[in-house]
Amino acid sequence: MNTVLLIGASRGIGLALARQYLDDSWRVIATARNDEGLARLKAMGAETFRLDVANPASNSGLAWQLDGEKIDLAIYVAGVGDRDTTTSPPTREKFDLLMHTNAMGPMMVLPQIAPMLIEAKGVFAAISSHLGSLTQTQTSMAALYRMSKVALNMYVRCAQHDFPEIGCVALHPGWVQTEMGGAQAPLTPAQSATSLRQTLERIRTHPRPEDRGAFLNHDGTPLPW
């Protein structure tokens, strides 16, 4: 049985991924930061534990909670945005939340789980955003969100060099009907999850050199840095 680790999976795209992997008879280990999120995941049949990716102290304990595991696929789903595009400069609290969740979290998580992925010749994927392209600029709070995603994309690219035994990829999930995307977005979480899974399965089972450390759309097409 294949094992997938979903980090930050209690709602939106993460919850849809958990449901689909469980339906396909994968073993799902999923994290959430609160009791409500853990309960949703447990009710679906996932194995769960608490993890607050915005808290470095919480992230630092990931390895011992997964001690002895062999992981085929790890997806860092956790991400946060802010609809406030006017506050300038951003408050220290907002800076810390965005950077710790979107960028520092993966940097703390991957080194801890890399040995478990290496054993399975697995894949690490981080859910990013097309707003993390270096070709795009914006001001105020929106710039902070972009900065955090640029940092995430760059880390994934560097991590491929640090952990050449596994595949590392950043994935844009599309414009999705989540708190961030809003009800007007064209993709439901389930549709995004299906497309992400198809791309990840190809990368996992038929790896290509150009996918290593890449920034890809949910359908597998490359995105600009």
Side-chain angles (χ1 to χ4, degrees), residues 193-208:
T194 296
S195 188
L196 289 167
R197 288 183 59 233
Q198 289 171 346
T199 295
L200 284 169
E201 189 61 14
R202 178 188 59 74
I203 292 171
R204 195 176 69 85
T205 58
H206 296 87
R208 304 179 308 189

Side-chain angles (χ1 to χ4, degrees), residues 22 41 69 82 92 109 117 124 129 135 201:
L22 285 165
L41 291 161
E69 293 288 355
D82 198 306
R92 174 62 184 271
V109 162
L117 287 163
F124 174 80
S129 169
T135 63
E201 189 61 14

Side-chain angles (χ1 to χ4, degrees), residues 79-194:
V80 65
D82 198 306
R83 292 186 177 278
D84 178 8
T85 59
T86 60
T87 301
S88 186
T91 65
R92 174 62 184 271
E93 291 76 16
K94 288 184 176 181
F95 181 90
D96 286 350
L97 178 63
L98 264 72
M99 293 304 293
H100 278 292
T101 302
N102 294 351
M104 297 301 295
M107 292 179 189
M108 293 189 69
V109 162
L110 180 52
Q112 295 182 72
I113 63 175
M116 307 164 201
L117 287 163
I118 290 171
E119 184 178 354
K121 296 182 174 61
V123 171
F124 174 80
I127 302 301
S128 185
S129 169
H130 76 288
L131 296 178
S133 170
L134 290 174
T135 63
Q136 304 204 32
T137 58
Q138 202 164 340
T139 60
S140 194
M141 271 298 298
L144 176 58
Y145 178 76
R146 291 177 183 272
M147 186 192 311
S148 69
K149 292 300 187 179
V150 167
L152 170 59
N153 293 345
M154 292 298 100
Y155 174 66
V156 168
R157 193 168 191 175
C158 293
Q160 186 64 78
H161 297 289
D162 293 339
F163 306 105
E165 305 93 337
I166 64 176
C168 297
V169 63
L171 295 174
H172 169 52
W175 186 16
V176 188
Q177 295 169 17
T178 60
E179 292 178 8
M180 184 70 178
Q184 73 274 24
L187 292 176
T188 66
Q191 289 169 330
S192 175
T194 296

